Amino acid sequence: ILAEEKRSRTDQLILTAPVPVGGIVLGKFLALVTIFAIPVVIGAVYPLIMSRFGTVPMGEAYVALLGYFLYGMTAIAIGVFISSVTESQVIAAVLGFAVLFLGYMMNSIIGIISITGNLFTLLLSSFDLYTPYANLCDGTLNLASVTYYLSITALFLFLTVQSIQKRRYSVSVKNLSMGAYSTGMIAVAVVIVVVVNIVLAEMPSTWTNIDISNERLYSLTDQTKEFVGNMEEDITIYVLTSEANQDTLLGQTLQRYDDLSGHITVSYVDPTVNPLFYSNYSSTTVASNSLIVESGRRSKVIDYNDIYEKSATFDYNTYSYVNEITGFDGEGQITAALSYVLSDDVKKLYISTGHSEYELSSGFLAALEKANVEYENIDLMEYDAVPENASCLIINAPEKDFSTDDRTKVEAYLNGGGNVIYVAGFTSLETPNLDALLAGVGLSVAEGLVVDPNTENYYSNPYYLLPTLSDTFYTSGLFSNNYYVFSPFSQGLVIADRDAAGLTYTDILTTSDSAFSKQSLESQENFEKEEGDIDGPFSLGVEVMKAVDENTAGTMVVFGSSEIFTANADQYVRGANLTLFSNTVSAFVNNEVNVSVPAKSYEVSSLSLNRKDIVIISLITTILMPLASLVTGFVIWLRRRAR
């Protein structure tokens, strides 16, 4: 762009033209950027086209394209400068490739020079061209990366102007003074760019990173912010790796915790330097990038393998099952560990057995562990009473009735200020004791299954209910984000008297006004209301607080669907049922703030296109749009030539 001008001496026309050198450089630069922008614009059409066939993460897609464009723009500016210092296109090409390749590899070079980092590597990082682009491809609008590319582009355009200016005045009697002035300006410009970028790099990530990922992978939830904001004790989080080799996403998450509170200190421990550091906290070996959270009371190890959720998928290339990452649970694990090391004691929860109750799946049990809750199965027949250390008793969809003795134990526990989570089990057997347990808090279960014909309240068919959520602690993170809870084959909960003395009711899940409980269940394809069906609306989830005295109340939370806390139902709403379960448990083990944060999904839905759509899109984007660009350019050239 400039080397050939110098070789053929046509640059004399530029140097003597009544146009500022800066304008000439900017014009050539913008011409190159325009050519580069054409395929970028074509690429920008793809997310819009793909959105016709499913959900596309628009924010992530366009920020990644922005990063690609800024990276290319910076590379062009560097190339223009190199072209200005030589008369050979070949030399300019070779030098340009070498410099850009060096910038691309700079992060790796820095790692080779020093694992821990020093002033020299900090200065070298100013010429790391690739990392800012990578930061814009991970779901965040990184303002430091945008500033970096813009400042480096401006710097090299300024250097190009200075290079031409020096040549322009090389025959001047003011050669010495102009050279000194040019060198001073260059030094000042370089220092400004380096300082600005170093300062931005050291700023809290909460100031410079805007999370635009669909799952908010790079933001901390309100629960975590509230919990950490109320911390008054100092915590140290040890990361078992060097800072240079840390997991990028986990490192960004830890940085946000560090920025959020002055009580949190993140310290990196390189296993190659201190290989037995973990043995002070764990008797078993832990993986690299694992975390150790320590307070003055206790510590907790978070194994790196627990930070990412994985599922086994079949690989047809190797004909074997491989673990594929499906979610990031860094925030959930870290916040739970903070809660654990700051807790005065560890709460215990009991799960009733012996009545053909539904078993909680591994995902729901893992949620209990993440909430720092110990749990134990209990057959009430073997105990004189519900254990005194029980923070909560879960009765999960029993298919058989309780004995009178078991019912009495639960009632005594509730009347003593205990907490019960009761999931109604659908059964054809008579359950007088379970019915009496509910009647003791003013509830009954309507016979049959609820049908809700309102299209906004069901999925696939009116038995697959999507209840209306109330704004309560139990629906934290669900109500505000308009999430659905899946409550299939649910029984309706009927409140005898909402104004009953000593009882306070709070609806959690409800049906629409048009819902009814269907008595005839011979055919699950018949959704019409018939004679004998019970009119709604119904509660499908309700909290009942039973006053014991002025300061104490027993609490029972009742849900109408035996399937609500199953992995099968939870997968339909991408973890919303699990969140409801975690919130409900947290209500009884932590009265101040819910610190059970669900994992953030990595999974992106695949888009399916038929052959016809593929052919049409290919024709438009790979033939018609480029052809239109060529024709437009040719027409402009002809018009200018005619002038």
Side-chain angles (χ1 to χ4, degrees):
I1 196 72
L2 288 171
E4 181 63 17
E5 298 267 19
K6 292 173 69 175
R7 189 195 66 81
S8 62
R9 299 294 184 263
T10 54
D11 62 330
Q12 298 301 317
L13 296 174
I14 297 176
L15 297 176
T16 57
V19 179
V21 174
I24 294 169
V25 171
L26 189 61
K28 286 181 173 289
F29 169 74
L30 291 177
L32 293 172
V33 169
T34 301
I35 294 171
F36 174 64
I38 292 172
V40 176
V41 171
I42 293 174
V45 176
Y46 273 94
L48 297 175
I49 296 174
M50 293 298 103
S51 65
R52 293 185 59 250
F53 305 96
T55 301
V56 174
M58 291 293 188
E60 297 172 56
Y62 283 108
V63 168
L65 278 168
L66 172 65
Y68 178 68
F69 178 74
L70 291 174
Y71 189 1
M73 183 180 71
T74 302
I76 290 171
I78 294 171
V80 169
F81 167 70
I82 293 173
S83 182
S84 73
V85 298
T86 179
E87 295 184 1
S88 170
Q89 292 188 71
V90 174
I91 293 176
V94 172
L95 285 177
F97 175 82
V99 171
L100 293 177
F101 183 73
L102 190 67
Y104 177 80
M105 296 298 296
M106 186 55 67
N107 189 49
S108 300
I109 295 172
I110 290 172
I112 294 172
I113 295 174
S114 174
I115 295 177
T116 57
N118 51 46
L119 179 60
F120 180 57
T121 57
L122 182 63
L123 293 174
L124 285 180
S125 66
S126 298
F127 196 64
D128 179 4
L129 295 178
Y130 180 75
T131 299
Y133 167 64
N135 292 339
L136 290 168
C137 288
D138 62 8
T140 60
L141 177 55
N142 191 304
L143 300 182
S145 295
V146 174
T147 302
Y148 174 81
Y149 282 132
L150 293 177
S151 63
I152 295 297
T153 298
L155 174 63
F156 275 92
L157 291 178
F158 172 75
L159 294 177
T160 303
V161 172
Q162 292 300 311
S163 173
I164 296 174
Q165 287 280 32
K166 187 173 183 180
R167 175 178 171 81
R168 185 178 185 183
Y169 288 98
S170 62
V171 295
S172 171
V173 294
K174 298 181 180 179
N175 181 48
L176 182 61
S177 61
M178 280 303 300
Y181 173 78
S182 176
T183 303
M185 289 295 292
I186 289 172
V188 170
V190 170
V191 169
I192 290 174
V193 170
V194 171
V195 170
V196 166
N197 283 285
I198 289 177
V199 169
L200 278 173
E202 295 301 318
M203 280 187 176
S205 57
T206 51
W207 295 7
T208 59
N209 286 358
I210 301 173
D211 187 357
I212 46 82
S213 62
N214 275 11
E215 290 290 326
R216 293 295 181 263
L217 287 170
Y218 309 96
S219 303
L220 298 180
T221 60
D222 291 338
Q223 294 98 317
T224 291
K225 291 178 181 178
E226 181 180 355
F227 178 77
V228 174
N230 292 328
M231 283 174 43
E232 297 180 353
E233 298 181 37
D234 292 337
I235 299 289
T236 301
I237 303 176
Y238 296 102
V239 189
L240 300 185
T241 186
S242 65
E243 192 166 0
N245 295 323
Q246 67 175 321
D247 176 282
T248 303
L249 178 53
L250 180 58
Q252 291 176 346
T253 301
L254 289 169
Q255 184 61 54
R256 282 173 170 76
Y257 278 91
D258 197 5
D259 297 339
L260 199 59
S261 173
H263 291 290
I264 295 178
T265 301
V266 179
S267 178
Y268 289 85
V269 180
D270 190 349
T272 60
V273 178
N274 193 347
L276 296 180
F277 180 82
Y278 74 89
S279 61
N280 298 320
Y281 304 92
S282 173
S283 58
T284 58
T285 305
V286 294
S288 178
N289 272 297
S290 296
L291 309 178
I292 298 172
V293 182
E294 183 181 35
S295 70
R297 308 183 188 191
R298 59 176 71 89
S299 64
K300 183 173 183 178
V301 176
I302 305 174
D303 194 278
Y304 182 64
N305 295 315
D306 295 329
I307 290 175
Y308 288 93
E309 288 190 338
K310 299 176 182 178
S311 64
T313 57
F314 190 76
D315 186 348
Y316 287 94
N317 294 319
T318 61
Y319 289 96
S320 61
Y321 282 94
V322 295
N323 285 328
E324 181 178 336
I325 295 177
T326 58
F328 176 70
D329 197 21
E331 181 188 351
Q333 294 287 346
I334 295 169
T335 300
L338 292 174
S339 174
Y340 174 76
V341 300
L342 292 173
S343 299
D344 292 325
D345 57 358
V346 178
K347 303 298 178 66
K348 190 160 187 177
L349 177 150
Y350 289 89
I351 305 172
S352 74
T353 60
H355 312 93
S356 298
E357 290 93 341
Y358 276 36
E359 291 186 6
L360 291 173
S361 65
S362 58
F364 287 83
L365 293 177
L368 294 178
E369 294 176 357
K370 194 163 73 172
N372 302 314
V373 178
E374 294 182 358
Y375 60 88
E376 181 181 331
N377 291 330
I378 181 175
D379 189 336
L380 291 173
M381 290 183 62
E382 301 174 0
Y383 290 77
D384 295 331
V386 176
E388 293 182 359
N389 66 341
S391 295
C392 179
L393 173 67
I394 295 180
I395 305 172
N396 189 29
E399 295 181 357
K400 297 179 181 178
D401 195 21
F402 274 34
S403 66
T404 303
D405 190 40
D406 287 351
R407 185 200 81 202
T408 302
K409 295 171 186 175
V410 176
E411 288 176 338
Y413 170 67
L414 186 64
N415 292 333
N419 305 301
V420 177
I421 299 174
Y422 179 84
V423 179
F426 182 74
T427 176
S428 58
L429 301 176
E430 295 292 327
T431 56
N433 285 302
L434 289 174
D435 294 343
L437 178 63
L438 290 177
V441 292
L443 293 178
S444 62
V445 177
E447 293 185 14
L449 293 176
V450 175
V451 172
D452 196 334
N454 187 349
T455 55
E456 295 182 358
N457 286 91
Y458 72 83
Y459 167 77
S460 183
N461 76 65
Y463 283 119
Y464 288 0
L465 304 182
L466 299 173
T468 300
L469 274 61
S470 301
D471 187 8
T472 67
F473 179 89
Y474 304 101
T475 57
S476 297
L478 302 175
F479 178 85
S480 58
N481 293 310
N482 297 316
Y483 283 9
Y484 288 115
V485 166
F486 188 43
S487 183
F489 302 115
S490 185
Q491 300 174 92
L493 304 175
V494 180
I495 300 172
D497 181 6
R498 285 187 176 270
D499 298 321
L503 297 174
T504 304
Y505 299 95
T506 302
D507 286 319
I508 303 170
L509 309 174
T510 57
T511 66
S512 70
D513 292 339
S514 56
F516 58 91
S517 186
K518 194 166 188 58
Q519 306 299 295
S520 177
L521 303 176
E522 287 79 9
S523 173
Q524 293 184 5
E525 296 180 359
N526 179 14
F527 309 125
E528 299 297 325
K529 186 177 179 182
E530 299 174 320
E531 185 177 352
D533 290 342
I534 303 173
D535 290 328
F538 301 102
S539 289
L540 301 181
V542 62
E543 175 201 65
V544 186
M545 297 187 69
K546 187 174 185 179
V548 176
D549 53 44
E550 292 183 0
N551 301 315
T552 309
T555 303
M556 177 181 281
V557 177
V558 185
F559 295 99
S561 171
S562 58
E563 301 282 340
I564 195 168
F565 294 143
T566 63
N568 186 47
D570 188 54
Q571 69 178 353
Y572 281 91
V573 283
R574 300 187 67 179
N577 284 25
L578 179 58
T579 300
L580 177 67
F581 175 78
S582 298
N583 290 348
T584 305
V585 170
S586 294
F588 303 135
V589 299
N590 190 318
N591 294 323
E592 295 181 0
V593 59
N594 174 18
V595 295
S596 183
V597 180
K600 299 175 181 181
S601 177
Y602 254 27
E603 296 181 297
V604 178
S605 301
S606 299
L607 304 181
S608 299
L609 284 73
N610 59 42
R611 187 63 185 170
K612 177 183 175 182
D613 292 329
I614 292 173
V615 171
I616 293 174
I617 293 171
S618 298
L619 286 173
I620 292 173
T621 57
T622 64
I623 297 178
L624 295 182
M625 291 182 68
L627 187 60
S629 298
L630 288 173
V631 170
T632 302
F634 188 69
V635 169
I636 293 172
W637 176 75
L638 281 177
R639 290 179 61 185
R640 289 180 176 176
R641 184 179 176 85
R643 292 175 186 173

